[in-house]
Amino acid sequence: PQHPQPPKFVLFAAISFSFRAQPVLNMKFATLAVLATSASAAAESLSVKYVGPSKPLNIPAVVHDVPNENLCDVVGGDLPSECDCTPNDVGGDISCSFSLFSDEITLSANVQPCASPADIAFEIQDTTFDIDYTKTVSMDDTEKFDIPGLTFGIPDVATASAVMDVTVGGDLDDVTLTLALDACATVVGFSVCGSDLTSELPWTVLEGSYDFSNICQ
């Protein structure tokens, strides 16, 4: 038997729906494609501009404890600009050249905290008076010794005799050390020294406390 054909108006509606739905779907797919392209471009832009991690890295700092290697490392920062320091096996040689009251003076100190016995050997030279004076002081001593023949004419005050002020004491990890060239004069029957005579005195080479325990091993 023959099946009845669907009504013409139903077929027309289905055909009409098919033709009308196709442009709408194409538009939706095109819109989705544009949005996807924009999202991809935005993501790429963000990835280019990003320059760091999402949170700071917690990396601990590394601190290197570098011990002093020689005597000059220990005292070098306290020396006047007129002085140089050269290390040796038992300490260091400090040499200073400077002008004091128009005299050209060279003061050398061989500081030997690691020697046995430990000591400081001084040499003071003054070409004006043709002086070359040496003296050795133990590393546990306090002295103010005269420098024979060396005097300074201090304007409006007096002629003063040069002296060397030395203070050394303590253990290797805490050595009190003072090295200074000074001068004293008799003023109105009284002995007057250093800054009481003039602001240019004393001429200090070193003054402080120092730890030599790392270099004497």
Side-chain angles (χ1 to χ4, degrees), residues 56-94:
L57 296 178
N58 186 19
I59 301 176
V62 178
V63 178
H64 298 283
D65 183 13
V66 180
N68 295 312
E69 296 181 355
N70 55 61
L71 180 137
C72 298
D73 292 334
V74 179
V75 305
D78 290 343
L79 291 173
S81 59
E82 296 88 345
C83 299
D84 294 318
C85 184
T86 303
N88 57 43
D89 291 340
V90 291
D93 293 299
I94 298 171

Side-chain angles (χ1 to χ4, degrees), residues 9 23 26 30 42 49 52 57 61 74 131 141 161 182 186 206 210 212 214:
F9 72 89
N26 288 341
K49 293 179 181 179
L57 296 178
V74 179
I131 290 171
D141 201 357
S161 299
D182 205 348
T186 300
L206 277 177
Y210 304 97
F212 295 132
N214 285 337

Side-chain angles (χ1 to χ4, degrees), residues 92-172:
D93 293 299
I94 298 171
S95 179
C96 308
S97 297
F98 55 96
S99 179
L100 189 61
F101 306 112
S102 301
D103 282 11
E104 297 300 320
I105 297 173
T106 300
L107 190 159
S108 301
N110 186 4
V111 184
Q112 304 179 104
C114 307
S116 182
D119 59 26
I120 303 176
F122 292 97
E123 182 177 19
I124 299 171
Q125 298 172 305
D126 185 320
T127 56
T128 302
F129 293 96
D130 194 24
I131 290 171
D132 189 349
Y133 177 75
T134 60
K135 185 175 177 68
T136 299
V137 178
S138 70
M139 289 289 288
D140 190 13
D141 201 357
T142 297
E143 287 194 40
K144 183 190 289 284
F145 55 86
D146 296 332
I147 302 172
L150 182 57
T151 59
F152 301 119
I154 301 175
D156 303 323
V157 180
T159 298
S161 299
V163 298
M164 191 73 194
D165 287 335
V166 181
T167 300
V168 188
D171 299 323
L172 271 179

Side-chain angles (χ1 to χ4, degrees), residues 174-185:
D174 187 17
V175 176
T176 299
L177 183 59
T178 300
L179 310 176
L181 180 62
D182 205 348
C184 297

